[in-house]
Amino acid sequence: MQDTRTQVGIIGAGPSGLLLSQLLHLNGIDSVVLERRDRDYVLGRIRAGVLEQGLTDLLRRAGIGERMDRVGEIHAGFAIAGGDKEFRIDLESLTGGQTVMVYGQTEVTRDLYQARDAMQGTVVHEADGVTPHGIDGDAPYLTYEVGGEAFRLHCDFIAGCDGFHGVSRASIPVESLRTYEKVYPFGWLGVLSETPPIDEELIYAHSDRGFALCSLRSRMLSRYYVQCPLDIDLADWPDDRFWDELKARLPRAAAERLVTGPSIEKSIAPLRSFVTEPMQHGRLFLAGDAAHIVPPTGAKGLNLAASDIHYLSTALIDWYRDGSDAGLKTYSDRALARVWKAERFSWSMTKLLHTFPEDQPFDRRMQETELAYLSGSKAAQMALAENYVGLPY
Ligand code: RFL
Ligand code: PHB
């Protein structure tokens, strides 16, 4: 067993873990990131695409905003469609000037890796069997193996940034945690294609056949999703079938504009709402998907990971700088206050736009009426826009 030491041991090299290590480094705090997968795998995951201003500001503060500001796209609004009707949510005018940034999570992760490399940050890949120990005391440590060799990493604190299926949440005694969960009876089938997007802005579409989303990464890279049953087989979804289904769920005018092409990625994501309370136990702090999951309809997952990291990094910086544990003690409460509001928003967007197998005709009329109300009410649009651009940290 080889013994090593750092100040903060971070589990997981997703956006949460990498961003935390970068922010800590800029404040003179040493960390080591332990990641189960290899770097290509981490960089190959296609996920989020819409960044709130809070996240883009945080990335700039972390010194990695340059490429995002150069190639990311500012979006001042998006469309909601119901059947053949479509209306625009003008984010900028409804929120007094706020917008979102369309820039892929893959690119954010690439930028974070580049910054960690430039600063000689340590990210250990293919770390097997990562296990937290001693989280109830003041000398926690992590054990893991790389290539059959065993390591023990001593640290002051452990940050569990290892996603929904990680080891961190599972290492907190069950009697100390309360979890809340809603599993939706459908998923999203997503396609990435090197085709010009259907529109300059995103289109969220409700139809009798199910939800569809037209998103994008750049002028020549489109990201589309259709709601699907959970038990589908990707082999039954060749590209032509996907494009036909997408067109059938969009307003006619939009469907006619759709440029199709071969998919370069195709995957299914189940939809889930999930919250763990509290987000800390002793010297172990959970952040991002390790603590909570939202259905992707509101584009909130990555953005919530960022607000957690904001609270956690400032708490750790205060502890190392002033010896103050006030931020660490209140981390979970502060993070959860924002998490629950984003959970509410993601759940309500999911309810508004998807078809639910158990729905009765009355439920469907309520959904149509909700959309009709939203299309004509500035007050309702303001509430939606305020949440979509992101509530303050
Ligand atoms: P991640 O990204 O899951 O990273 C966790 C990392 O931990 C590693 N790991 C371990 N490492 C060591 N030991 C272990 N035992 C480990 N177990 C796991 C994993 O390999 C991984 O590298 O969590 P993080 O960093 O908290 O980031 C969360 C975001 O990735 C997630 O919330 C978003 O992608 C959600 N999401 C969206 N969020 C948005 O804000 N806007 C969007 O537009 C948006 N669209 C989406 C999404 C998620 C989607 N899927 C696939 C779930 C669209 C989709 C389709
Ligand atoms: C995406 O581009 O992947 C995306 C955009 C908006 C969402 C979810 C996913 O709400």
Side-chain angles (χ1 to χ4, degrees):
M1 180 83 76
Q2 282 195 43
D3 282 281
T4 52
R5 184 172 166 85
T6 188
Q7 289 174 300
V8 182
I10 300 175
I11 313 176
S16 301
L18 291 173
L19 181 56
L20 179 63
S21 74
Q22 174 73 358
L23 290 166
L24 293 178
H25 179 101
L26 294 176
N27 286 276
I29 301 163
D30 191 41
S31 67
V32 169
V33 181
L34 303 178
E35 166 59 48
R36 184 172 56 176
R37 303 285 191 165
D38 64 37
R39 186 170 175 143
D40 287 346
Y41 183 94
V42 173
L43 283 167
R45 285 191 293 234
I46 309 292
R47 286 188 170 175
V50 177
L51 317 185
E52 297 171 355
Q53 226 157 286
L55 170 51
T56 55
D57 288 346
L58 195 56
L59 293 175
R60 289 184 196 108
R61 254 189 286 143
I64 65 147
E66 190 275 325
R67 199 164 67 99
M68 172 188 77
D69 283 326
R70 195 157 33 83
V71 306
E73 282 185 24
I74 302 276
H75 281 220
F78 64 87
I80 295 184
D84 261 332
K85 297 199 196 83
E86 197 177 319
F87 59 95
R88 182 166 184 264
I89 301 292
D90 186 334
L91 295 172
E92 196 165 22
S93 74
L94 290 161
T95 60
Q98 294 191 66
T99 54
V100 292
M101 171 82 79
V102 169
Y103 187 64
Q105 178 171 330
T106 320
E107 305 309 316
V108 173
T109 309
R110 194 180 299 281
D111 296 344
L112 280 163
Y113 262 122
Q114 214 162 51
R116 296 315 299 126
D117 288 347
M119 295 173 183
Q120 278 96 45
T122 310
V123 183
V124 179
H125 288 98
E126 298 178 80
D128 288 328
V130 175
T131 311
H133 304 269
I135 55 175
D136 284 309
D138 56 9
Y141 60 96
L142 290 157
T143 53
Y144 62 99
E145 283 188 10
V146 179
E149 211 176 327
F151 293 86
R152 182 161 43 207
L153 175 64
H154 299 270
C155 46
D156 302 322
F157 300 99
I158 297 173
C161 302
D162 48 352
F164 184 63
H165 300 287
V167 65
S168 301
R169 192 178 68 252
S171 48
I172 298 177
V174 277
E175 62 278 12
S176 304
L177 286 183
R178 173 128 196 225
T179 58
Y180 301 82
E181 183 168 42
K182 180 173 180 65
V183 177
Y184 299 85
F186 43 73
W188 281 15
L189 172 61
V191 153
L192 190 68
S193 73
E194 285 170 328
T195 49
I198 193 166
D199 200 277
E200 285 177 1
E201 294 184 343
L202 275 69
I203 306 174
Y204 290 82
H206 169 75
S207 88
D208 294 342
R209 300 178 68 94
F211 169 77
L213 171 61
C214 304
S215 182
L216 61 147
R217 293 291 178 271
S218 67
R219 292 293 100 213
M220 254 324 273
L221 195 56
S222 300
R223 181 69 165 157
Y224 297 107
Y225 299 96
V226 293
Q227 174 187 350
C228 64
L230 284 167
D231 56 0
I232 64 162
D233 188 343
L234 278 183
D236 296 332
W237 281 86
D239 292 350
D240 285 349
R241 182 173 177 199
F242 179 87
W243 295 124
D244 287 346
E245 190 56 45
L246 176 64
K247 277 187 200 166
R249 296 180 186 196
L250 298 176
R252 205 163 309 136
E256 281 167 10
R257 290 198 307 271
L258 182 70
V259 179
T260 63
S263 63
I264 55 171
E265 194 262 0
K266 197 183 279 163
S267 53
I268 303 165
L271 264 64
R272 181 194 304 271
S273 298
F274 176 87
V275 182
T276 310
E277 284 184 344
M279 287 170 55
Q280 63 193 88
H281 182 86
R283 292 232 170 180
L284 170 65
F285 296 85
L286 303 176
D289 280 13
H292 41 73
I293 294 287
V294 286
T297 327
K300 288 286 163 257
L302 174 62
N303 292 298
L304 274 185
S307 52
D308 288 354
I309 294 304
H310 165 74
Y311 297 127
L312 184 55
S313 61
T314 49
L316 288 166
I317 292 163
D318 285 352
W319 193 87
Y320 281 105
R321 199 187 41 206
D322 312 326
S324 159
D325 64 358
L328 289 173
K329 276 191 173 146
T330 54
Y331 164 68
S332 177
D333 290 345
R334 291 178 76 200
L336 281 168
R338 191 170 190 276
V339 165
W340 275 114
K341 289 180 196 138
E343 290 282 346
R344 185 204 68 83
F345 177 65
S346 306
W347 162 83
S348 70
M349 283 278 279
T350 303
K351 291 275 288 175
L352 175 70
L353 295 168
H354 291 73
T355 53
F356 286 72
E358 71 272 18
D359 273 1
Q360 301 295 310
F362 179 82
D363 300 301
R364 284 195 282 277
R365 290 304 288 262
M366 281 296 100
Q367 214 173 11
E368 286 163 17
T369 309
E370 187 96 34
L371 277 169
Y373 171 60
L374 183 61
S375 75
S377 162
K378 190 169 175 196
Q381 292 188 8
M382 278 175 89
L384 189 146
E386 175 186 49
N387 283 277
Y388 195 86
V389 298
L391 297 174
Y393 288 10

